[in-house]
Amino acid sequence: MVDIVGRMGWKYISILYEESNYGIKAFEELEDLLATKNICIAIKEKLVKDSGVAGEHAYDSIVAKLLTKPRARGAIIFGSDQEVAGVMRAVRRANATENFSWIGSDGWSARNLVSDGNEVEVEGTLSVQPQANPVRGFEEYFLSLTVENNKRNPWFAEFWEAHFQCHYPNSSRTPYNQNFPGTCTGQETLTKENMAFEGQLQFVSDAVMAFAHALRDMHRDVCHGRHGLCDAMKPTKGTELLRYLRKVEFEGLSGDNFRFDPQGDGPARYNIIHFKQVSQGVFRWVRVGEYWEGELRLNMSEIQFKLGHPQPPESVCSLECELGQAKKYLEGESCCWHCFNCTQYQIRHPTDETQCQLCPQGTVPDQRHTKCEPIPEEYLRADSGWAIGAMAFSATGIVVTALVAGVFLRHHDTPVVRASGRELSYILLLGIFLCYAMTFVLVLKPSDIVCGLQRFGAGFSFTVVYAALLTKTNRISRIFNAGKRTAKRPSFISPRSQLIICSGLTGFQVLINAVWMVVSPPSAVHHYPTRDDNLLVCSSSVNASYMISFSYPIVLIVICTLYAVLTRKIPEAFNESKYIGFTMYTTCVIWLAFVPIYFSTANNIAIRITSMSVTISMSATVTVACLFTPKLYIILVRPERNVRQSMMPVRYSAVRGPRHQSISGPTGVTSSVVGAGNLLGVLPPNHGMESGSHSDAGHSTNAANNHSSTSKQLTTRGTQTLNCVNNAEKHVTINNTTHTMGNGPVSNNSQPNSPTKSADQCKSDLTL
């Protein structure tokens, strides 16, 4: 019966059961089985066993209670035919014929007492009936019986009298036979036409056979083959007999195999019968299925609860919630609920249907809100337009950088390359190349290794560039500041010193990165700025810890910018500081524009990475354009200017001339001193020029800077200086070779050294 309820799809039913051992035991079993199937009981009512005791009002009250749960249209009735007939009459009186569909027990199924007169109320009923097959030979045996040959049955004569409506000779008078009109002749015969056999005879036969087999087996084991009952079976112990009874297995007289199941029940074999209207106004019980040892076989096409309505009625308190909805149970009800929608990022809990579950970060509900699906990873892909544009820009920069490096290597020993500081220039080009190369690292799919390269490379490439620029600007500043105080050459301006300083500045960035990676190892993580995002990024970009990598280069940029401001008024001969200054100003503008773009595009990984790579590449491009373009112009376009004298303006490169003869005031003195300083500035390495430094010469450029209060002393000192310069100009010894100085390029002279004023004496004279 429970399986039939489940097949109908009912989840909310009522139960009426007879107030007897038969009904109460059945209800207890039903209650347990329905609970295992999650089928709820809406109403449960007892039927009084004796229908004569219970008046019609009792049945009316029961039907009224059933109507309080209108959604529980399915009902199981476990009772006998008299009580069920009373219920059906009450249903008709309540005009509730269309409200219920019944599942009946074998106690009232196919009983005319119930259906006669109540066909419309009983219509659609599904009931169970024990399945029994005819006992072979019993029909022939019974039809051959007469009163004379069946003396062993004392009630057979009464059966004969009742069947043939006659009084059998010599039989006792009873209240039942005294009114029979005739006397039985004994010639009456039982036939198939006048006899109807009980369909459940198989169960009687199987019960008798089960006891017979149990007693036989017990006798064999206890009496050891002796005939008759032995002392061990006098009396027969019931518990011992039960043990043998549970183990019997045989083929019954009906041809079916019989055995008890582990619970001690006989084979569960039932026919499923259905009371239906086969045609208008014609009702009949028909077989629509069977239940065979735990398996329900039901022909749904034969079932119709009302004529022309094959679909079973709905018997649920609440309809199942739609996908993505959870249940809120009504107070006091276990099968009644309201449905509510889970929110946008929730699904119904997989094990608790009353709760919604929030999808984890990086997942969103599917369209039906039944499961959480991962959001596809989002990262800058190398084949995207953003990445291709950034890589094209960087590749162009790398090519340009390589060309610049090639030109410098080819003209390695020319004055322009030497004057620009060859070693620092190569370091600068290396840093620029690393800046461009960072784009190709930034567009790779994030992984722990890639994130480590990004974290190290972004700051390191900038550090290499600005460490070299800082070394340059610092050298220029120290030379010219020292020239204001003394003629002594400043310390640490040689190429080796410059490389050591630059390496030290760069090494500090390496140390910062090493400590950072130990404290917080680089890793690729999933970042969820919003519920709909799943960004695959490096961990350092999530919390802006990239600034640790950029903090030190920013300090270098600020210091370089300050030096660029401080050295902006250096004479034209040393105007590389102006280009450095312009580079730093432009770099600051680029990075000030980058910062808001970077932090405002946290949700768009493509724009964020592209903006960073383009910013790095633009900084490198500005450095190439501002610092190397003027030098390339001279080397490639104006090679005639790639000589020593061209490294300084005309007014400083010629010692003789009208400007040096006019020493009547402070201006003339200053010009002479600057000219002398330039003379020293173009001396060979032993005078501090190897690093290419026209900037070495600046140590005495501003030596006589507008000291108008001592103009007379300056005039006298200027005369002495001019004499010194004139003598030094004639015979300057450079690497054991005499050079004659004057307007135009310096030329070698094979004349031997001539006595002249020593360099130290000139330097002393140049000191103001």
Side-chain angles (χ1 to χ4, degrees), residues 463 503-513 552:
T463 300
S503 299
L505 295 173
T506 306
F508 190 71
Q509 173 69 14
V510 174
L511 178 62
I512 292 175
N513 280 329
Y552 181 62

Side-chain angles (χ1 to χ4, degrees), residues 142-163:
F142 193 85
L143 292 176
S144 67
L145 292 177
T146 64
V147 176
E148 297 300 324
N149 64 14
N150 192 20
K151 297 290 186 181
R152 68 185 185 88
N153 188 340
W155 299 282
F156 194 75
E158 291 185 19
F159 161 75
W160 196 272
E161 290 177 334
H163 184 70

Side-chain angles (χ1 to χ4, degrees), residues 325-502:
Q325 292 183 330
K327 298 177 180 178
K328 182 179 181 181
Y329 285 93
L330 300 181
E331 186 176 357
E333 295 284 355
S334 60
C335 284
C336 302
W337 57 80
H338 294 306
C339 298
F340 63 93
N341 293 322
C342 296
T343 61
Q344 180 181 0
Y345 299 106
Q346 290 180 331
I347 61 171
R348 189 166 71 179
H349 198 284
T351 57
D352 187 356
E353 59 186 7
T354 65
Q355 294 184 12
C356 292
Q357 181 182 35
L358 185 67
C359 285
Q361 290 278 16
T363 63
V364 292
D366 61 357
Q367 291 184 347
R368 299 184 298 173
H369 281 252
T370 57
K371 60 181 180 179
C372 297
E373 294 183 337
I375 302 172
E377 287 181 342
E378 183 180 347
Y379 57 90
L380 182 61
R381 302 180 185 275
D383 57 354
S384 67
W386 294 98
I388 292 174
M391 288 189 293
F393 184 27
S394 297
T396 303
I398 290 175
V399 171
V400 172
T401 303
L403 293 175
V404 172
V407 170
F408 266 56
L409 288 172
R410 183 176 179 85
H411 301 83
H412 181 73
D413 292 319
T414 61
V416 168
V417 176
R418 296 180 63 183
S420 63
R422 290 175 296 187
E423 293 78 7
L424 291 180
S425 294
Y426 293 141
I427 293 176
L428 193 58
L429 288 171
L430 174 62
I432 292 170
F433 168 78
L434 293 176
C435 288
Y436 285 126
M438 275 306 300
T439 295
F440 298 94
V441 179
L442 290 172
V443 300
L444 293 176
K445 180 180 179 180
S447 65
D448 292 351
I449 296 176
V450 171
C451 290
L453 291 174
Q454 290 182 6
R455 182 188 289 187
F456 178 83
F460 181 77
S461 58
F462 273 117
T463 300
V464 173
V465 172
Y466 296 111
L469 287 179
L470 178 59
T471 304
K472 272 194 172 191
T473 55
N474 172 264
R475 182 171 179 267
I476 294 172
S477 178
R478 287 191 297 114
I479 289 175
F480 280 88
N481 287 335
K484 296 178 182 179
R485 299 185 302 272
T486 177
K488 185 179 179 181
R489 174 183 176 182
S491 303
F492 308 115
I493 61 174
S494 66
R496 178 178 296 177
S497 300
Q498 299 302 295
L499 290 176
I500 293 174
I501 294 172
C502 184

